[in-house]
């Protein structure tokens, strides 16, 4: 058992009181209140920006504190293990978040759309309500919601994006390797390339969206295809952005000389997250674009 | 002391209530009037007895222990705390019991889900908050909603004693009429939100899902009147959406079918003639009361934040085209449904004319059924 | 089990920093945070209870007397949301915060700052949720299950509902990550997994349920949001979606959720019964495996809430069998509790009374659960008061009684004050009597065909509704006694001993009452 490694006298660092989480809660509350008011068409933009600003301030303060502690060797392997467990299960929770949307995609493709088209148990549905509809994927449903549209082909930008993300997975691993053998120069190169590739991905994704909206009439309103397409790729894109920001912070820290060959959990956490985002993309590429 | 007094009051209250109990209350599931509902009843009773017996055994052992193995009786604690043997026994025994329940349940279920070989098809469409019954082969179609007596008595502080209203909240204006002794296939769908069509005596409960059609069936053994309610929360008047099924013998059912056809033909004529404004307002006030007042309220005042007022409404006092449009097509993602497929041209023309010239509005214009037809 | 070297760091005050507002806002101490959770939950229990009383008052007799149908539906919806997300779940998290570190010999939770955040999101989320009552159009009224398309008709409170759920989800996920990290990483040397107290075990498994399901709920409500405001078609047939799809996703969360509400309760009862039976828990390892089996099964039974939506027969059969199977591991737990009492040397202080009440009444609720699980019969029971009776039996004399048992069990440890046990026993007896008057007649109502979520009903249902309402008021007001006992014990009372209960075993009893501000700065060694 891992526990037997540390003696009874070992000390676990329990931080003293902190205001950051509370500020974080205020920030979250302002943020969602802003969005709520915007959705209700009661303004809200100011609240939204106040929320974002508060959250940035909080992250800056909170992580600043953690980084200071980390750099002053406050953490031992014991605390480090807590962070690892925490980060792993956080990523797991993100996986489950995406699972909800993939679930919706599979449900629509294998159940609801065929039913509407007259297959299986729900044959009455087709007969009585939608008898001119034939089920094919992609579809915007029997009511042709949002008007006819073109589906996003897999070969083209999405393939390029796949290559970009896969490459970024390699560069971040290279950076990690360099860190472990103490080659800081390559660490920084590797990270910088990863971040650049990440933002490039997001940029291309924006171009793809703009193309979809303006030339293909593929919008959020394009029935179930548009819905699953945009929510899956959209949330993925948001996660890429977040991951890239995390890696940027790590890059800046690396340039400041943070991390050692044996102690660099912050780096690893960001890298794990990056790999997670990568894997989600692969699944997405297969099921949203390709098949 | 406090406790004793509490207990005494509670018992007293319970006894008093039991004494004045109404004659028609019921404690158990109804065996119903179809083979399916009887099967269900049988399984229900079996499960109930199984639970009661397990309960007696488990609680019996527990209370025996509570009574005898107590410290104040000087009982010394034993030290055993494990036995793989008993763990296996009390895993296996419940498995066997559950299997003996699951098998008949599965058989009943398979039977229930088989709606083939039916002799009559009825299509039910749920609306907020009424049912539409359609007999596709007979060409009959009508709405069924809460009867006016219940509706009046059901208003907050109406001053009418619910007990004085027959079948309070369980009576409709036009019931679903079916022949007894025939297998009737029911197709169920909805126009707006999810509702559920349930009549305990028939052993039927099926959700009405907008955009999908579910099917089920029943075969009523004895003619009679059977009641149920909408059983899926569907908004404000979910509690006011009863179901009455009348099962007639074959001959009486045929007569009913003929009557319905005549009545439908008469209604058709309304939409072809030219109306005067007074006639329209007169008719419109009735349509409004049955169809619109559930939301926009009898006086047109609406419910702030939920249902807009008709009195002074921008749409109801503005461009008549927009007014017609919202009534015909409704508004997506709100409770305002498309009434175009519920009401006849005459009804729509009438209710719009009424809204513009009643309920405190006085726009002065009017709409003819022909205008509605043209706008469809 | 034996603890050595209970030792307090010299720079720590026994009672922590001075009792200022800032202390509670900024604290990273697991006991402070546990206390915050518990007090918050007590408050919310009364708020949710008040809503229940409004429901019961309206249902006292046929006819509408007090509220309009729309407001009634708001009460039903908010009552459930408040009770589940703001009362019962936070209460369990509070207990976890207080007890897990102490029970496994840890200095604190593994991630103390995040612990603070998990709590402090809650008050903000609940203000957003509860303030929906005051916005134009009122609170959400589509039921706590939020089924579309009905819920999409909600007015200005709709986005508030969605984002409150998001925030509550974030809070729960962070809380569970913390609990998992604490249990995996902070156990004292020698505290192997199979030596952990059952309360710790049940929470360990509950935390996984939370992490696996809360994000799914977040996804589901996000789709609601985009369907309403951004024109997506997830739940609309016209665009190729399906309203029933929401139900699948919701119940994939919702069913594990109900076990989230009961597994920690199982843990609590498994702590209390051995103490007062003065006999070790019977079948410790089978209890652990049973808990894990329940958790596993909970992921493959969700559609038993949806038998009437028109599933394929094969699906209905599968979900029926899987659901009935849950009775087996749950039965194992019940039998093990009985076997623990068997040939013990029992005394019946307040915690034990609540624990026994739990076993009896939870089992009754479990029985009706098994009846509901049988698909053909569920066609009759579904969405009637039979279901309402079922889930209140497992939730009120189930989860809530277990929480109260836990409070009575550990309150002297937390506060250092002993409460008046006689008053506690009175509280138990009146609660137990009234809770049955409240919920037992609802079985009859359901069987007779009374649908749930209706503000007014046919005259044939009048008698049992009246009895039930009397029970509700009796039960509700008895809880004022609970609040009184808890608050007065916090303030003053006879000094409690360290061990408090004669038969108590476990690390928490090796600490002083109240325990030092930092529990095990130096970890004990478990032999
Ligand atoms: C703490 C919460 C909790 C718990 C523990 C349970 C436990 C169970 N529940 Fe319940 N349930 C709810 C909370 C809970 N439920 C809620 C909130 C709803 C309604 C949601 C809504 O619609 O709003 C609901 C609804 C619900 C339904 C849907 C009903 C409907 O809407 O039509 C069903 C159907 O199968 C069901 C089944 C079960 C079963 C089989 C168990 C089992 O786990 C019970 C197992 C326990 C026992 C069986 C007792 C002990 C066992 C023995 C002594 C062994 C021997 C016994 C036998 C062999 C029978 N529940
Ligand atoms: C953990 C969850 C939990 C708990 C503890 C409870 C507790 C109670 N519940 Fe309920 N309930 C649900 C979860 C819960 N419930 C759920 C999930 C639903 C389904 C919702 C839906 O359909 O969407 C539901 C629905 C529900 C209904 C059905 C409503 C309907 O279908 O329209 C009813 C009706 O009787 C009811 C009653 C009660 C009562 C009387 C209590 C009592 O136990 C409450 C005890 C009362 C108090 C504790 C109040 C004390 C207050 C005072 C004495 C006043 C003083 C006030 C202050 C000081 C502020 N609940
Ligand atoms: Cu229709 Cu409830
Ligand atoms: Cu369930």
């Amino acid at each position: 058992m891992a526990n037997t490694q540390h003696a009874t006298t070992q000390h676990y660092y329990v931080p003293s009181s902190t205001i950051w989480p509370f500020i974080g809660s205020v920030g979250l509350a302002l943020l969602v209140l802003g969005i709520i008011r915007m959705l209700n068409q009661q303004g809200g933009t100011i609240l939204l920006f106040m929320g974002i600003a508060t959250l940035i301030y909080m992250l800056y303060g909170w992580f600043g504190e953690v980084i200071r502690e980390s750099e002053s060797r406050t953490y031992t392997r014991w605390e480090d293990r807590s962070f690892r467990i925490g980060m792993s299960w956080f990523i797991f929770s993100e996986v489950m978040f995406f699972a909800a949307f993939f679930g919706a995609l599979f449900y629509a493709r294998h159940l609801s759309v065929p039913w509407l088209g007259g297959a299986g148990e729900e044959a009455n549905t087709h007969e009585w309500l939608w008898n001119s509809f034939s089920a094919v994927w992609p579809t915007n449903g029997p009511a042709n919601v949002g008007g006819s549209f073109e589906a996003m082909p897999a070969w083209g930008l999405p393939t390029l994006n796949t290559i970009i993300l896969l490459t970024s997975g390699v560069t971040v691993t290279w950076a990690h390797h360099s860190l472990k053998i103490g080659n800081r120069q390559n660490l920084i190169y590797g990270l910088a390339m990863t971040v650049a590739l990440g933002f490039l991905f997001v940029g291309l994704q924006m171009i793809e969206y703009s193309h979809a909206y303006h030339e293909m009439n593929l919008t959020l309103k394009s029935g179930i295809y548009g819905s699953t397409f945009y929510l899956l790729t959209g949330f993925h894109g948001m996660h890429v952005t977040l991951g890239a920001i995390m890696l940027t912070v790590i890059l800046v820290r690396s340039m400041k000389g943070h991390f050692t060959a044996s102690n660099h959990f912050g780096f690893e956490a960001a890298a794990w997250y990056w790999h997670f985002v990568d894997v989600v993309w692969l699944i997405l590429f297969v099921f949203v674009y390709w098949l | 002391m406090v406790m004793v007094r509490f207990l005494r009051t509670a018992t007293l209250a319970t006894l008093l209530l039991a004494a004045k109990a109404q004659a028609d209350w019921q404690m158990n599931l109804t065996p119903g009037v179809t083979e399916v509902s009887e099967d269900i009843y049988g399984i229900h009773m079996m499960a109930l007895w199984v639970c009661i017996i397990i309960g007696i055994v488990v609680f019996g052992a527990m209370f025996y222990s509570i009574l005898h193995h107590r410290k104040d009786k000087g009982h010394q604690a034993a030290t055993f705390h494990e036995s793989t043997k008993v763990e296996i026994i009390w895993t296996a025994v419940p498995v066997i019991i559950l299997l003996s329940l699951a098998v008949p349940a599965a058989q009943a279920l398979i039977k229930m889900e088989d709606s083939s070989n039916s002799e009559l098809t009825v299509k039910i469409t749920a609306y907020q908050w009424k049912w539409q019954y359609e007999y596709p082969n007979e060409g009959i179609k009508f709405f069924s909603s809460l009867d006016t007596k219940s509706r009046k008595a059901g208003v907050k502080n109406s001053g009418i004693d619910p007990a004085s209203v027959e079948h309070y909240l369980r009576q409709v204006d036009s019931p679903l009429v079916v022949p007894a002794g025939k297998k009737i296939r029911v197709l169920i769908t909805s126009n707006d939100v999810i509702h559920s069509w349930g009549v305990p005596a028939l052993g039927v409960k099926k959700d009405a899902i907008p955009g999908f059609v579910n099917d089920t069936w029943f075969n009523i053994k004895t003619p009679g009147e059977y009641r149920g309610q909408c059983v899926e929360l569907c908004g404000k008047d979910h509690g006011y959406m009863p179901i009455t099924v009348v099962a007639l013998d074959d001959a009486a059912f045929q007569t009913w079918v003929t009557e319905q056809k005549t009545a439908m033909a008469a209604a058709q004529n309304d939409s072809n003639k030219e109306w005067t404004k007074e006639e329209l307002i007169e008719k419109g006030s009735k349509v409004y009361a049955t169809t619109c007042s559930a939301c926009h309220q009898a006086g047109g005042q609406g419910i702030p934040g939920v249902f807009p007022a008709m009195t002074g409404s921008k749409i109801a006092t503005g461009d008549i085209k927009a007014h017609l449009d919202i009534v015909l097509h409704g508004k997506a993602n709100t409770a305002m449904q498309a009434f175009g497929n519920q009401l006849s041209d005459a009804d729509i023309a009438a209710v719009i004319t009424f809204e513009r010239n009643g309920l405190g509005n006085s726009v002065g214009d009017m709409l003819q059924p022909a205008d509605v037809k043209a706008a469809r | 089990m034996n603890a050595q070297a209970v030792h307090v760091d010299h720079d720590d005050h026994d009672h922590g920093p001075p009792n200022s507002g800032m202390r509670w806002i900024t604290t990273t101490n697991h006991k402070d945070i546990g206390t915050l959770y518990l007090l918050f939950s007590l408050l919310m229990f009364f708020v949710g209870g008040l809503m229940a009383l409004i429901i019961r008052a309206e249902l006292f007799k046929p006819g509408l007397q007090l509220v309009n149908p729309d407001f009634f539906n708001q009460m039903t919806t908010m009552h459930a949301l408040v009770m589940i997300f703001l009362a019962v779940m936070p209460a369990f998290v509070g207990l976890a915060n207080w007890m897990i570190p102490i029970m496994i010999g840890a200095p604190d939770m593994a991630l103390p700052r995040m612990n603070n955040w998990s709590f402090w999101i809650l008050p903000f989320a609940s203000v957003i949720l509860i303030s929906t009552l005051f916005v134009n159009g009122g609170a959400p009224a589509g039921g706590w299950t939020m089924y579309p398309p009905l819920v999409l008709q909600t007015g200005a409170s709709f986005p508030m509902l969605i984002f409150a759920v998001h925030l509550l989800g974030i809070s729960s996920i962070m809380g569970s990550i913390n609990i998992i990290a604490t249990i995996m990483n902070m156990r004292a040397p020698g505290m192997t997994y199979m030596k952990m107290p059952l309360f710790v075990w049940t929470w360990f498994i509950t935390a996984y349920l939370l992490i696996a399901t809360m994000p799914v709920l977040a996804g589901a409500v996000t789709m609601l949001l985009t369907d309403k405001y951004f024109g997506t078609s997830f739940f609309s047939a016209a665009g190729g979606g399906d309203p029933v799809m929401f139900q699948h996703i919701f119940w994939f969360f919702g069913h594990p959720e109900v076990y989230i509400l009961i597994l920690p309760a199982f843990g609590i009862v498994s702590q209390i019964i051995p103490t007062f039976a003065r006999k070790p828990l019977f079948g410790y390892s089978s209890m652990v495996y049973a808990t894990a089996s329940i958790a596993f099964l909970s992921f493959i039974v969700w559609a038993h809430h949806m038998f009437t939506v028109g599933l394929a027969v094969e699906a209905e059969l599968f979900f029926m069998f899987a659901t009935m199977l849950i009775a087996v591991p749950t039965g194992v737990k019940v039998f093990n509790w009985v076997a623990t009492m068997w040939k013990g040397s029992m005394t019946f202080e307040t915690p034990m009374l609540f624990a026994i009440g739990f076993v009896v009444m939870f089992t009754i609720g479990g029985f009706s659960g098994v009846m509901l699980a049988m698909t053909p019969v569920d066609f009759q029971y579904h969405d009637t008061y039979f279901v309402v009776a079922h889930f209140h039996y497992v939730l009120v004399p189930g989860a809530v009684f277990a929480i109260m048992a836990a409070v009575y069990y550990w309150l002297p440890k937390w506060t250092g004050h002993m409460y008046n046990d006689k008053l506690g026993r009175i509280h138990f007896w009146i609660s137990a009597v009234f809770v049955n008057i409240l919920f037992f007649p609802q079985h009859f109502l359901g069987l007779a065909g009374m649908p749930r979520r209706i503000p007014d009903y046919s005259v044939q249902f009048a008698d049992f509704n009246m009895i039930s309402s009397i029970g509700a008021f009796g039960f509700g007001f008895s809880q004022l006694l609970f609040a009184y006992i808890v608050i007065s014990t916090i303030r003053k009372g006879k000094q409690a001993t360290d061990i408090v209960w004669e038969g108590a075993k476990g690390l928490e009893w090796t600490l002083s009452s109240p325990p030092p501000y930092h529990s095990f700065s130096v970890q004990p060694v478990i032999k």
Side-chain angles (χ1 to χ4, degrees), chain C residues 251 254-256 258-259 298 301-302 304-305 323 390:
Chain C
W251 288 116
H255 187 82
V258 306
Y259 291 103
S298 76
V301 300
W302 74 87
H304 64 217
H305 296 274
T323 305
H390 156 65

Side-chain angles (χ1 to χ4, degrees), chain B residues 129 195 230 232-234 238 241:
Chain B
W129 294 281
H195 304 255
C230 177
E232 177 66 54
L233 179 60
C234 52
H238 160 60
M241 208 175 147

Side-chain angles (χ1 to χ4, degrees), chain B residues 2-3 6-7 10 13-14 17 20-22 24-30 37 40 43-44 47-48 51 54-55 58-59 61-66 69-72 75-83 86-87 90-91 94-95 98 101-103 105-106 108-110 112-113 128 153-158 162-163 165 167-170 192-194 196 199-207 209-212 214 229-240 303-306 333-335, chain C residues 62-70 73 136-137 141-143 147-150 152-153 155 227-228 237 241-244 247 277-286 307-311 313 316-317 320-321 324-325 327-328 332 334-336 338-339 341-348 356 359-360 363-364 367 370-371 374-384 426 429-430 433-434 437 443-444 447-449 451-464 466-467 470 502:
Chain B
V2 187
M3 187 184 93
F6 253 119
L7 281 178
T14 321
L17 281 168
K20 84 161 241 299
Q22 239 96 23
D24 57 353
W25 59 244
Q26 170 197 343
M27 276 172 80
N28 199 358
L29 200 63
T30 168
S37 68
I40 293 178
I43 301 170
H44 159 74
L48 186 62
C51 289
I54 299 176
V58 177
F59 299 151
M62 194 171 120
F63 282 107
Y64 178 87
S65 172
I66 288 176
H69 307 149
R70 45 201 299 155
K71 194 182 174 202
D72 54 17
H75 195 277
Q76 291 292 310
T79 52
F80 64 83
H81 59 88
E82 224 162 22
S83 161
V86 303
E87 301 285 353
W90 64 43
T91 308
V95 170
L98 289 168
L101 285 173
V103 170
L109 182 67
I110 289 167
M112 293 168 78
E113 294 289 345
Q128 277 176 322
V155 173
K156 194 167 129 189
N157 296 322
S158 63
V165 179
H167 301 302
Y168 176 61
L169 297 185
R170 293 268 222 166
D192 35 53
V193 302
I194 302 176
S196 186
V199 181
L202 312 188
V204 166
K205 185 174 291 159
K206 208 58 161 191
D207 290 1
I209 318 276
F212 288 84
N214 274 329
Q229 278 178 263
C230 177
V231 270
E232 177 66 54
L233 179 60
C234 52
K236 175 172 90 54
D237 279 0
H238 160 60
Y240 305 85
I303 298 178
V306 189
N333 276 344
T334 71
Chain C
L64 274 193
Q65 294 86 25
L66 302 168
V67 299
N68 282 314
D70 198 52
N73 292 342
N136 198 2
Y147 284 3
L150 179 63
L152 300 178
Q153 295 181 353
D227 263 18
K228 180 153 168 96
D242 183 352
V244 173
Q247 303 186 15
R278 293 169 181 73
K279 193 166 150 280
L281 182 68
F282 189 84
Y284 172 89
S285 46
S286 64
F307 283 145
T308 61
V309 300
L311 300 172
V313 200
E316 289 181 326
L317 288 172
M320 169 170 84
F321 293 140
M324 293 178 78
L325 211 54
V328 176
V332 168
V334 172
F335 300 139
N336 278 319
V338 175
M341 291 187 230
W342 191 257
K343 292 204 185 301
S345 173
M346 276 189 274
T347 51
F348 301 92
I356 292 174
V359 175
V360 174
T363 303
I364 294 175
F367 286 152
V370 172
M371 296 172 77
M374 293 187 294
T375 317
V377 205
D378 182 67
F379 290 162
Q380 292 285 28
Y381 304 144
H382 177 67
D383 264 348
T384 66
I426 292 175
W429 283 111
I430 53 180
V433 168
F434 277 121
I437 299 177
H443 290 113
F444 307 141
L447 293 175
R452 53 194 282 212
R453 299 163 161 174
I454 57 174
D456 193 3
Y457 47 83
S458 177
V459 184
Q460 64 189 340
F461 305 125
D463 300 322
F464 289 124
M466 191 177 280
I467 297 172
I470 292 172
E502 191 186 50

Side-chain angles (χ1 to χ4, degrees), chain A residues 43-63:
Chain A
T45 344
I46 297 177
L47 277 176
L48 177 80
F49 283 109
M50 278 165 62
I52 293 173
T54 315
L55 281 175
I56 292 174
Y57 173 61
M58 178 277 285
L59 287 173
Y60 192 80
W62 188 334
F63 287 154

Side-chain angles (χ1 to χ4, degrees), chain B residues 55-259:
Chain B
I56 291 175
V57 174
V58 177
F59 299 151
M62 194 171 120
F63 282 107
Y64 178 87
S65 172
I66 288 176
L67 287 178
H68 296 279
H69 307 149
R70 45 201 299 155
K71 194 182 174 202
D72 54 17
K73 287 209 169 167
H75 195 277
Q76 291 292 310
T79 52
F80 64 83
H81 59 88
E82 224 162 22
S83 161
T84 313
K85 203 160 80 195
V86 303
E87 301 285 353
I88 290 174
I89 293 175
W90 64 43
T91 308
V93 173
V95 170
I96 296 167
I97 298 175
L98 289 168
L99 273 176
S100 66
L101 285 173
V103 170
Q107 284 164 343
L109 182 67
I110 289 167
K111 185 160 108 191
M112 293 168 78
E113 294 289 345
D114 176 14
S115 61
S116 56
N117 300 324
S118 63
E119 295 159 87
L120 176 76
T121 297
V122 180
K123 182 165 172 258
I124 303 178
T125 310
Y127 289 82
Q128 277 176 322
W129 294 281
K130 56 185 177 265
W131 303 97
Q132 185 185 50
Y133 297 118
E134 183 181 351
Y135 301 66
N137 299 326
E138 285 71 18
I140 299 172
K141 195 171 176 178
F142 59 90
F143 280 99
S144 171
S145 43
L146 184 66
D147 77 327
T148 30
K149 268 198 205 149
S150 292
R151 194 177 298 281
K152 279 203 188 112
V155 173
K156 194 167 129 189
N157 296 322
S158 63
I160 305 170
D161 178 7
S164 71
V165 179
E166 199 189 4
H167 301 302
Y168 176 61
L169 297 185
R170 293 268 222 166
Q171 180 73 342
V172 297
D173 48 9
S174 7
L176 172 66
V177 179
V178 293
K182 291 231 158 94
K183 181 164 183 178
I184 293 156
R185 181 168 78 132
V186 186
L187 297 168
I188 303 174
T189 185
S190 164
N191 175 61
D192 35 53
V193 302
I194 302 176
H195 304 255
S196 186
W197 196 83
V199 181
L202 312 188
V204 166
K205 185 174 291 159
K206 208 58 161 191
D207 290 1
I209 318 276
F212 288 84
V213 178
N214 274 329
D215 75 337
T216 183
W217 63 276
F218 56 80
N219 187 341
I220 300 177
K221 287 182 174 165
T222 39
E225 248 187 347
Y226 307 105
R227 289 167 202 290
Q229 278 178 263
C230 177
V231 270
E232 177 66 54
L233 179 60
C234 52
K236 175 172 90 54
D237 279 0
H238 160 60
Y240 305 85
M241 208 175 147
I243 297 159
T244 311
V245 179
V246 175
L248 301 175
D249 61 38
D250 235 8
F253 178 70
Q254 288 311 330
T255 326
W256 178 83
V257 169
T258 328
E259 276 169 17

